[in-house]
Amino acid sequence: MPPVFRFAPSPNGYLHLGHACSALLNFDAACRSGGRLLLRIEDIDPARCRPEFEAAIYQDLAWLGISWEMPVRRQSEHLADYRAALEKLSAMGLVYPAFESRAEIARLVAQREAQGPWPRDPDGAPLYPGAAKSMAPDARARLLDSATPCALRLDMAAARARVPDLDWIEHGEGPEGAVVARPQAHPEAWGDVILARKETPTSYHLSVVIDDALQGVTEVVRGADLFWSTSVHRLLQHLLDLPQPVYRHHRLVTDGEARKLSKSTAATGLRELRAQGASLADIRGLVGLVRPA
Ligand code: GLU
C-alpha cells in the first residue's frame, strides 16, 4: 500500500512561508515514495474561517506546483463523524460538560495563581481550573435540561487510566531538536482538553484524529508547533481504536527575530511574494527545500 500524506491548513488567514514549507515537504515526500497526497480544509471554526481564505489556499498550492487528490475533505461537512466519536467517548464515561464562560475560566485561573503557580499546557495556556467534573449530578442535569451552553471536556485522568502506556513513532525533530521523553510528552500536560465547543460540536484534537483515520493517513508531516499535541492525538487514537500514523514534525520557518510566523505579511505571505515576482525556486530557497532531482 502506498503511504498516504496530507496537508491540513485552516482557512483562517492567507498561507505564508511556514505553510509552504509544510505543504512542499508533504508533496516531495509523497512524490519520492510513490505515495498519495490528500488536502484537508480544517474549517471547524465558523468565526475565523472564510471562503476567500479557502479559495486562496487552492491558488497558492497550485502556484507552488503541488497537486493533491480530489475530493478535498472539508471538516465542516463531516460533523456527524466527530459527533459519533464523541458519543463513543461519552459512553466510555470519559467526557463531561463544563459550563464556565471564557471570562469565568480566566477569573478562576487568576484566583488559583494568586495562591501560587498554576500549571500551563505546552502552548503556555493555563490548564482548565474548573470544577465541572465533580459537579453534583442534579445540578449538572438541571443545566443540561435547560440547554445551557457548555463545552465537552475529556476526563484526562480517567482516559489515562485506560491507556497507561503511550508513545509515538517520530521521524522528525521535537521543538528542541531530538525527541526525548519529558513531562510535556504526556497528554496530562494538556489537562482536561476540550473535545467540543459551544459554537462548534468538535475540536482540533478530535477532528484531526478522526480524519487522519478515516482518510487512511499513514504519515503526518507537520510543523514542530504541533509536536506536543501528538500525545493527545495518540491517546484519542488508543481510546477510539484507530490506527497509528508515523509522525514527522519539521522545524518552523521563523521571521528575522526567530519568531514563528503567525500571519502572512508582505515578507512572508505567498500571495504577496507572488505579486512581488517571486518564483517557485525562490520560495523553495526561502524555506530551505531545493527541488528533489
Ligand atoms: N490545521 C492545522 C493548522 O493549520 C494543522 C493540523 C495538523 O497538521 O495536524 O495548523
Side-chain angles (χ1 to χ4, degrees), residues 6 8-10 42 204 208 222 226:
R6 67 7 173 227
S10 302
E42 300 211 325
Y204 161 65
V208 83
R222 61 186 178 190
L226 295 169

Side-chain angles (χ1 to χ4, degrees), residues 29-277:
C31 292
R32 234 183 357 251
S33 59
R36 300 164 53 202
L37 176 63
L38 309 179
L39 175 61
R40 182 162 79 225
I41 300 293
E42 300 211 325
D43 59 347
I44 54 173
D45 181 352
R48 297 176 62 218
C49 294
R50 301 221 299 257
E52 59 269 35
F53 294 139
E54 183 177 335
I57 288 173
Y58 302 132
Q59 273 173 13
D60 289 344
L61 293 181
W63 178 63
L64 289 174
I66 292 176
S67 49
W68 56 90
E69 275 183 25
M70 297 299 276
V72 168
R73 183 172 171 98
R74 301 174 74 238
Q75 290 189 324
S76 58
E77 293 168 354
H78 297 278
L79 299 181
D81 291 333
Y82 315 131
R83 200 168 298 124
L86 207 49
E87 274 161 20
K88 197 163 164 191
L89 294 169
S90 294
M92 293 162 82
L94 300 178
V95 178
Y96 65 88
F99 299 92
E100 298 96 344
S101 63
R102 282 201 170 91
E104 274 166 317
I105 291 182
R107 197 174 44 76
L108 285 167
V109 169
Q111 265 172 20
R112 302 286 157 95
E113 284 182 333
Q115 287 152 29
W118 181 251
R120 290 181 174 251
D121 70 23
D123 284 348
L127 296 198
Y128 171 63
K133 186 164 96 174
S134 46
M135 200 172 197
D138 54 335
R140 179 182 288 167
R142 254 196 320 276
L143 288 169
L144 287 174
D145 285 349
S146 62
T148 306
C150 63
L152 298 178
R153 288 185 176 269
L154 179 70
D155 181 341
M156 184 59 80
R160 271 301 257 166
R162 281 179 177 254
V163 188
D165 293 320
L166 264 183
D167 57 12
W168 75 82
I169 303 169
E170 173 70 44
H171 286 177
E173 291 194 335
E176 290 108 29
V179 179
V180 284
R182 54 173 69 223
Q184 299 99 304
H186 300 297
E188 294 90 310
W190 295 93
D192 286 358
V193 288
I194 289 190
L195 295 176
R197 297 180 183 279
K198 285 178 211 169
E199 60 280 7
T200 170
T202 184
S203 63
Y204 161 65
H205 293 309
L206 184 65
S207 39
V208 83
V209 159
I210 298 304
D211 285 350
D212 283 342
L214 285 177
Q215 295 190 284
V217 170
T218 59
E219 318 267 332
V220 173
V221 178
R222 61 186 178 190
D225 52 336
L226 295 169
F227 181 83
W228 302 117
S229 301
T230 310
S231 62
V232 178
H233 301 171
R234 290 291 300 124
L235 176 62
L236 292 173
Q237 284 159 0
H238 269 282
L239 294 169
L240 294 164
D241 213 7
L242 303 174
Q244 163 176 207
V246 166
Y247 289 89
R248 174 166 176 209
H249 292 91
H250 60 80
R251 68 182 165 71
L252 297 177
V253 179
T254 50
D255 67 10
E257 269 106 66
R259 283 177 310 224
K260 169 189 162 191
L261 304 182
S262 53
K263 294 199 262 308
S264 86
T265 63
T268 62
L270 297 184
R271 305 164 87 229
E272 288 88 343
L273 288 163
R274 183 161 74 237
Q276 290 159 25

